[in-house]
PDB file of all heavy atoms in Angstrom:
ATOM      1  N   LEU A 149      -1.538   8.086   9.199  1.00  0.00           N
ATOM      2  CA  LEU A 149      -1.977   9.520   9.434  1.00  0.00           C
ATOM      3  C   LEU A 149      -1.982  10.299   8.189  1.00  0.00           C
ATOM      4  O   LEU A 149      -2.877  11.128   7.918  1.00  0.00           O
ATOM      5  CB  LEU A 149      -0.966  10.146  10.379  1.00  0.00           C
ATOM      6  CG  LEU A 149      -1.015   9.552  11.815  1.00  0.00           C
ATOM      7  CD1 LEU A 149       0.253   9.889  12.604  1.00  0.00           C
ATOM      8  CD2 LEU A 149      -2.189  10.036  12.544  1.00  0.00           C
ATOM      9  N   PHE A 213       8.326  14.411   7.858  1.00  0.00           N
ATOM     10  CA  PHE A 213       7.415  15.543   8.306  1.00  0.00           C
ATOM     11  C   PHE A 213       7.978  16.875   7.744  1.00  0.00           C
ATOM     12  O   PHE A 213       7.588  17.942   8.233  1.00  0.00           O
ATOM     13  CB  PHE A 213       7.291  15.584   9.762  1.00  0.00           C
ATOM     14  CG  PHE A 213       6.699  14.284  10.332  1.00  0.00           C
ATOM     15  CD1 PHE A 213       7.579  13.350  10.837  1.00  0.00           C
ATOM     16  CD2 PHE A 213       5.356  14.022  10.149  1.00  0.00           C
ATOM     17  CE1 PHE A 213       7.031  12.101  11.285  1.00  0.00           C
ATOM     18  CE2 PHE A 213       4.855  12.784  10.628  1.00  0.00           C
ATOM     19  CZ  PHE A 213       5.699  11.875  11.157  1.00  0.00           C
ATOM     20  N   ASP A 230      -1.688  19.163   7.244  1.00  0.00           N
ATOM     21  CA  ASP A 230      -1.137  19.824   8.394  1.00  0.00           C
ATOM     22  C   ASP A 230      -0.003  18.941   8.929  1.00  0.00           C
ATOM     23  O   ASP A 230      -0.283  17.918   9.667  1.00  0.00           O
ATOM     24  CB  ASP A 230      -2.209  20.023   9.461  1.00  0.00           C
ATOM     25  CG  ASP A 230      -1.682  20.805  10.728  1.00  0.00           C
ATOM     26  OD1 ASP A 230      -0.453  20.875  10.883  1.00  0.00           O
ATOM     27  OD2 ASP A 230      -2.502  21.229  11.463  1.00  0.00           O
ATOM     28  N   GLN A 231       1.237  19.192   8.507  1.00  0.00           N
ATOM     29  CA  GLN A 231       2.386  18.323   8.863  1.00  0.00           C
ATOM     30  C   GLN A 231       2.596  18.280  10.386  1.00  0.00           C
ATOM     31  O   GLN A 231       2.946  17.288  10.967  1.00  0.00           O
ATOM     32  CB  GLN A 231       3.709  18.824   8.182  1.00  0.00           C
ATOM     33  CG  GLN A 231       3.600  19.078   6.724  1.00  0.00           C
ATOM     34  CD  GLN A 231       3.792  17.769   5.961  1.00  0.00           C
ATOM     35  OE1 GLN A 231       2.840  16.883   5.988  1.00  0.00           O
ATOM     36  NE2 GLN A 231       4.879  17.597   5.356  1.00  0.00           N
ATOM     37  N   ALA A 232       2.346  19.449  11.001  1.00  0.00           N
ATOM     38  CA  ALA A 232       2.591  19.525  12.502  1.00  0.00           C
ATOM     39  C   ALA A 232       1.605  18.580  13.229  1.00  0.00           C
ATOM     40  O   ALA A 232       1.971  17.933  14.201  1.00  0.00           O
ATOM     41  CB  ALA A 232       2.448  20.958  12.952  1.00  0.00           C
ATOM     42  N   ALA A 233       0.278  18.555  12.800  1.00  0.00           N
ATOM     43  CA  ALA A 233      -0.644  17.597  13.363  1.00  0.00           C
ATOM     44  C   ALA A 233      -0.301  16.261  13.177  1.00  0.00           C
ATOM     45  O   ALA A 233      -0.462  15.427  14.034  1.00  0.00           O
ATOM     46  CB  ALA A 233      -2.112  18.023  12.860  1.00  0.00           C
ATOM     47  N   MET A 234       0.173  15.920  11.933  1.00  0.00           N
ATOM     48  CA  MET A 234       0.583  14.556  11.615  1.00  0.00           C
ATOM     49  C   MET A 234       1.730  14.163  12.571  1.00  0.00           C
ATOM     50  O   MET A 234       1.814  13.037  13.034  1.00  0.00           O
ATOM     51  CB  MET A 234       1.066  14.468  10.174  1.00  0.00           C
ATOM     52  CG  MET A 234      -0.067  14.077   9.244  1.00  0.00           C
ATOM     53  SD  MET A 234       0.514  14.017   7.533  1.00  0.00           S
ATOM     54  CE  MET A 234       1.902  12.944   7.621  1.00  0.00           C
ATOM     55  N   LYS A 235       2.691  15.067  12.745  1.00  0.00           N
ATOM     56  CA  LYS A 235       3.860  14.733  13.532  1.00  0.00           C
ATOM     57  C   LYS A 235       3.425  14.469  15.039  1.00  0.00           C
ATOM     58  O   LYS A 235       3.877  13.489  15.609  1.00  0.00           O
ATOM     59  CB  LYS A 235       4.855  15.928  13.541  1.00  0.00           C
ATOM     60  CG  LYS A 235       6.049  15.758  14.455  1.00  0.00           C
ATOM     61  CD  LYS A 235       6.915  14.612  13.993  1.00  0.00           C
ATOM     62  CE  LYS A 235       8.374  14.692  14.636  1.00  0.00           C
ATOM     63  NZ  LYS A 235       8.424  14.583  15.995  1.00  0.00           N
ATOM     64  N   SER A 236       2.494  15.274  15.541  1.00  0.00           N
ATOM     65  CA  SER A 236       2.146  14.967  16.941  1.00  0.00           C
ATOM     66  C   SER A 236       1.286  13.655  17.045  1.00  0.00           C
ATOM     67  O   SER A 236       1.434  12.942  17.995  1.00  0.00           O
ATOM     68  CB  SER A 236       1.368  16.126  17.574  1.00  0.00           C
ATOM     69  OG  SER A 236       0.201  16.392  16.858  1.00  0.00           O
ATOM     70  N   GLY A 237       0.490  13.367  16.002  1.00  0.00           N
ATOM     71  CA  GLY A 237      -0.180  12.115  15.989  1.00  0.00           C
ATOM     72  C   GLY A 237       0.768  10.878  15.837  1.00  0.00           C
ATOM     73  O   GLY A 237       0.596   9.874  16.538  1.00  0.00           O
ATOM     74  N   TRP A 238       1.829  11.153  15.098  1.00  0.00           N
ATOM     75  CA  TRP A 238       2.867  10.103  14.957  1.00  0.00           C
ATOM     76  C   TRP A 238       3.616   9.870  16.234  1.00  0.00           C
ATOM     77  O   TRP A 238       3.896   8.711  16.688  1.00  0.00           O
ATOM     78  CB  TRP A 238       3.799  10.466  13.819  1.00  0.00           C
ATOM     79  CG  TRP A 238       4.845   9.465  13.401  1.00  0.00           C
ATOM     80  CD1 TRP A 238       4.691   8.487  12.541  1.00  0.00           C
ATOM     81  CD2 TRP A 238       6.200   9.477  13.839  1.00  0.00           C
ATOM     82  NE1 TRP A 238       5.902   7.808  12.359  1.00  0.00           N
ATOM     83  CE2 TRP A 238       6.819   8.409  13.141  1.00  0.00           C
ATOM     84  CE3 TRP A 238       6.982  10.320  14.671  1.00  0.00           C
ATOM     85  CZ2 TRP A 238       8.184   8.181  13.319  1.00  0.00           C
ATOM     86  CZ3 TRP A 238       8.331  10.054  14.845  1.00  0.00           C
ATOM     87  CH2 TRP A 238       8.875   8.926  14.138  1.00  0.00           C
ATOM     88  N   ASP A 239       4.000  10.885  16.907  1.00  0.00           N
ATOM     89  CA  ASP A 239       4.722  10.837  18.224  1.00  0.00           C
ATOM     90  C   ASP A 239       3.861  10.066  19.212  1.00  0.00           C
ATOM     91  O   ASP A 239       4.347   9.225  19.892  1.00  0.00           O
ATOM     92  CB  ASP A 239       4.885  12.295  18.764  1.00  0.00           C
ATOM     93  CG  ASP A 239       6.042  13.019  18.094  1.00  0.00           C
ATOM     94  OD1 ASP A 239       6.926  12.300  17.432  1.00  0.00           O
ATOM     95  OD2 ASP A 239       6.064  14.216  18.177  1.00  0.00           O
ATOM     96  N   ALA A 240       2.547  10.255  19.229  1.00  0.00           N
ATOM     97  CA  ALA A 240       1.680   9.577  20.124  1.00  0.00           C
ATOM     98  C   ALA A 240       1.664   8.041  19.881  1.00  0.00           C
ATOM     99  O   ALA A 240       1.818   7.273  20.841  1.00  0.00           O
ATOM    100  CB  ALA A 240       0.266  10.127  20.123  1.00  0.00           C
ATOM    101  N   ILE A 241       1.579   7.657  18.629  1.00  0.00           N
ATOM    102  CA  ILE A 241       1.617   6.250  18.269  1.00  0.00           C
ATOM    103  C   ILE A 241       2.952   5.674  18.560  1.00  0.00           C
ATOM    104  O   ILE A 241       3.014   4.517  19.233  1.00  0.00           O
ATOM    105  CB  ILE A 241       1.281   6.061  16.778  1.00  0.00           C
ATOM    106  CG1 ILE A 241      -0.153   6.513  16.391  1.00  0.00           C
ATOM    107  CG2 ILE A 241       1.368   4.585  16.362  1.00  0.00           C
ATOM    108  CD1 ILE A 241      -0.432   6.594  14.971  1.00  0.00           C
ATOM    109  N   VAL A 242       3.988   6.304  18.198  1.00  0.00           N
ATOM    110  CA  VAL A 242       5.323   5.743  18.378  1.00  0.00           C
ATOM    111  C   VAL A 242       5.666   5.621  19.879  1.00  0.00           C
ATOM    112  O   VAL A 242       6.107   4.556  20.369  1.00  0.00           O
ATOM    113  CB  VAL A 242       6.380   6.723  17.706  1.00  0.00           C
ATOM    114  CG1 VAL A 242       7.767   6.349  18.136  1.00  0.00           C
ATOM    115  CG2 VAL A 242       6.256   6.554  16.154  1.00  0.00           C
ATOM    116  N   ASP A 243       5.313   6.678  20.652  1.00  0.00           N
ATOM    117  CA  ASP A 243       5.524   6.603  22.113  1.00  0.00           C
ATOM    118  C   ASP A 243       4.723   5.465  22.741  1.00  0.00           C
ATOM    119  O   ASP A 243       5.314   4.753  23.561  1.00  0.00           O
ATOM    120  CB  ASP A 243       5.123   7.920  22.751  1.00  0.00           C
ATOM    121  CG  ASP A 243       6.179   8.994  22.434  1.00  0.00           C
ATOM    122  OD1 ASP A 243       7.281   8.642  21.999  1.00  0.00           O
ATOM    123  OD2 ASP A 243       5.878  10.210  22.625  1.00  0.00           O
ATOM    124  N   ARG A 253      12.973   5.581  23.086  1.00  0.00           N
ATOM    125  CA  ARG A 253      12.910   6.491  21.916  1.00  0.00           C
ATOM    126  C   ARG A 253      14.209   7.231  21.850  1.00  0.00           C
ATOM    127  O   ARG A 253      14.636   7.913  22.790  1.00  0.00           O
ATOM    128  CB  ARG A 253      11.697   7.357  22.102  1.00  0.00           C
ATOM    129  CG  ARG A 253      11.589   8.364  20.956  1.00  0.00           C
ATOM    130  CD  ARG A 253      10.290   9.253  21.124  1.00  0.00           C
ATOM    131  NE  ARG A 253      10.326  10.359  20.273  1.00  0.00           N
ATOM    132  CZ  ARG A 253       9.330  10.774  19.513  1.00  0.00           C
ATOM    133  NH1 ARG A 253       8.156  10.163  19.608  1.00  0.00           N
ATOM    134  NH2 ARG A 253       9.365  11.817  18.711  1.00  0.00           N
TER     135      ARG A 253
END
Side-chain angles (χ1 to χ4, degrees):
Chain A
L149 294 162
F213 303 99
D230 185 344
Q231 307 279 73
M234 267 177 55
K235 175 66 162 63
S236 62
W238 185 83
D239 283 338
I241 297 171
V242 167
D243 287 345
R253 177 178 169 135

